[in-house]
Amino acid sequence: EDQVTQSPEALRLQEGESSSLNCSYTVSGLRGLFWYRQDPGKGPEFLFTLYSAGEEKEKERLKATLTKKESFLHITAPKPEDSATYLCAVQARGGSNYKLTFGKGTLLTVNP
Amino acid sequence: GAGVSQTPSNKVTEKGKYVELRCDPISGHTALYWYRQSLGQGPEFLIYFQGTGAADDSGLPNDRFFAVRPEGSVSTLKIQRTERGDSAVYLCASSLQPSARAYFGPGTRLLVL
């Protein structure tokens, strides 16, 4: 069974204080690892997809990296508007390659 | 362009009642998914449609839950004899093809009293 564990559950940062969120996963064969951002009362908003170990993707203050067992979402010099829940999900190869298995998310609060 | 839309945005019902939740996917997206998100949890897969047919309904919790997509576009998730434990946010998503990036709607917040 595919599993995703995210840590920490919650993280408070001061504006400008860089940090990283962790996503550990077990999957029968990884097709893709996804990062989503979710604001209160909204649906998840796509950020990145990573497909192979060593791959990195960046968007503004966010950078996602992938190894064979985990992914990190690095946040550089965060701003209050980066406050949200960040969700990690895996997609397996094979017959169920449409299904996303999500972690519980990390609630990020950035204080001004 | 228009994203995935869901109606109603909020639904309050009484235990034992029947509810229908609607999803309008992005035009041209053949794959459609329903997920359920409980408070403090990540979304959990319920059902996947490819075109008009339910290709995988293994995530539906029990036979009180049913979903249709009769014309390959709009989908309706139907819950019979609602229970308090059904209270959650029901998310719909669509994608161009099954393994492609999924676009999520804003969700329907269901509260069963």
Side-chain angles (χ1 to χ4, degrees):
Chain A
E1 184 180 337
D2 303 336
Q3 286 192 321
V4 176
T5 303
Q6 292 189 246
S7 62
E9 292 184 4
L11 179 63
R12 285 186 175 272
L13 299 174
Q14 287 299 122
E15 185 171 2
E17 179 187 2
S18 302
S19 188
S20 295
L21 312 182
N22 178 265
C23 170
S24 298
Y25 64 91
T26 56
V27 64
S28 52
L30 181 70
R31 185 193 171 276
L33 184 139
F34 295 73
W35 282 98
Y36 283 85
R37 168 190 171 130
Q38 187 172 29
D39 292 298
K42 302 276 184 72
E45 177 187 346
F46 173 82
L47 293 173
F48 305 107
T49 308
L50 302 167
Y51 294 102
S52 57
E55 188 175 2
E56 298 183 351
K57 288 194 176 172
E58 288 188 63
K59 178 181 179 180
E60 296 180 357
R61 295 176 292 282
L62 301 177
K63 183 168 82 170
T65 61
L66 181 66
T67 73
K68 289 187 178 179
K69 294 183 178 180
E70 57 192 349
S71 176
F72 292 94
L73 185 65
H74 306 278
I75 304 177
T76 302
K79 298 183 177 182
E81 53 261 42
D82 294 322
S83 297
T85 295
Y86 289 85
L87 294 166
C88 173
V90 296
Q91 195 177 55
R93 296 181 195 275
S96 297
N97 65 355
Y98 47 82
K99 188 184 301 187
L100 293 171
T101 300
F102 283 88
K104 293 183 179 181
T106 293
L107 175 60
L108 174 67
T109 304
V110 182
N111 296 315
Chain B
V4 178
S5 61
Q6 294 186 245
T7 55
S9 54
N10 294 280
K11 177 70 177 179
V12 181
T13 190
E14 293 179 344
K15 180 176 179 295
K17 299 288 189 182
Y18 168 84
V19 297
E20 289 189 351
L21 312 179
R22 177 187 167 108
C23 172
D24 279 89
I26 294 172
S27 178
H29 282 194
T30 59
L32 184 145
Y33 320 84
W34 285 96
Y35 286 78
R36 180 168 73 174
Q37 187 173 25
S38 300
L39 196 62
Q41 305 293 315
E44 293 181 307
F45 172 82
L46 295 177
I47 188 168
Y48 155 59
F49 286 90
Q50 181 56 41
T52 60
D56 182 354
D57 64 358
S58 63
L60 295 178
N62 50 60
D63 60 7
R64 295 186 297 105
F65 288 75
F66 189 71
V68 295
R69 194 186 185 198
E71 297 178 355
S73 178
V74 170
S75 176
T76 305
L77 179 65
K78 308 180 181 193
I79 311 174
Q80 298 178 322
R81 305 183 303 280
T82 52
E83 299 177 357
R84 292 193 181 88
D86 298 335
S87 297
V89 176
Y90 290 81
L91 294 164
C92 178
S94 68
S95 62
L96 268 175
Q97 51 192 358
S99 58
R101 161 189 168 180
Y103 294 79
F104 283 83
T108 293
R109 281 143 198 82
L110 175 66
L111 177 61
V112 182
L113 300 175

